[in-house]
Amino acid sequence: MDTTDIVVDYFKKRGYYNEELKYKTIINDKNEDFMDMECLFESFFKDFNIKNSNEFNVNKYFYNNFLIEKFLIKIGIKTNTISKPSITIAHMIEVAKRQKWFDPE
């Protein structure tokens, strides 16, 4: 298996891969829990030996929704949250290949 397949498999196993979007799947969707995302990325950085993982700013990329916001999102009501830069599977493949975190373009 090459790095691309390993990264895709990593996110598939954790439920963060959309078969229709493939590499364009956005991982840091606002419906995701902040703590779950933080754990996911910590695990990814460790598993893929990302050397500068301390440069990754969780607040820049993850939505810290309060309980009421999570409820509203689940029932389909849009909330006025500030948009965060998207992190895709394609970006994480490149991060794994370089073994270095860099901001998505």
Side-chain angles (χ1 to χ4, degrees):
M1 272 184 137
D2 69 350
T3 303
T4 299
D5 294 334
I6 295 168
V7 172
V8 167
D9 191 50
Y10 178 89
F11 287 106
K12 274 185 180 179
K13 285 180 181 176
R14 288 156 180 83
Y16 292 96
Y17 187 81
N18 182 314
E19 289 293 337
E20 291 178 21
L21 296 175
K22 301 199 183 293
Y23 300 163
K24 293 180 182 179
T25 301
I26 295 173
I27 302 165
N28 63 323
D29 186 280
K30 75 176 181 179
N31 295 323
E32 299 300 330
D33 183 73
F34 184 91
M35 296 299 283
D36 289 345
M37 294 271 65
E38 190 172 26
C39 289
L40 175 73
F41 274 72
E42 282 178 7
S43 175
F44 180 89
F45 292 151
K46 182 180 176 192
D47 291 353
F48 288 90
N49 196 28
I50 307 305
K51 293 169 180 53
N52 67 332
S53 61
N54 61 324
E55 294 179 20
F56 180 75
N57 181 349
V58 295
N59 293 312
K60 182 176 181 178
Y61 296 102
F62 300 158
Y63 295 90
N64 197 357
N65 297 328
F66 296 102
L67 188 58
I68 188 71
E69 287 177 296
K70 290 178 187 179
F71 174 74
L72 293 173
I73 290 168
K74 280 193 183 234
I75 62 171
I77 297 174
K78 292 186 178 186
T79 60
N80 292 330
T81 55
I82 297 170
S83 184
K84 305 275 186 170
S86 296
I87 301 174
T88 63
I89 299 285
H91 180 71
M92 296 310 290
I93 291 168
E94 287 304 312
V95 167
K97 285 180 179 178
R98 296 181 192 187
Q99 291 187 312
K100 180 180 178 186
W101 171 257
F102 61 99
D103 291 333
E105 299 174 353

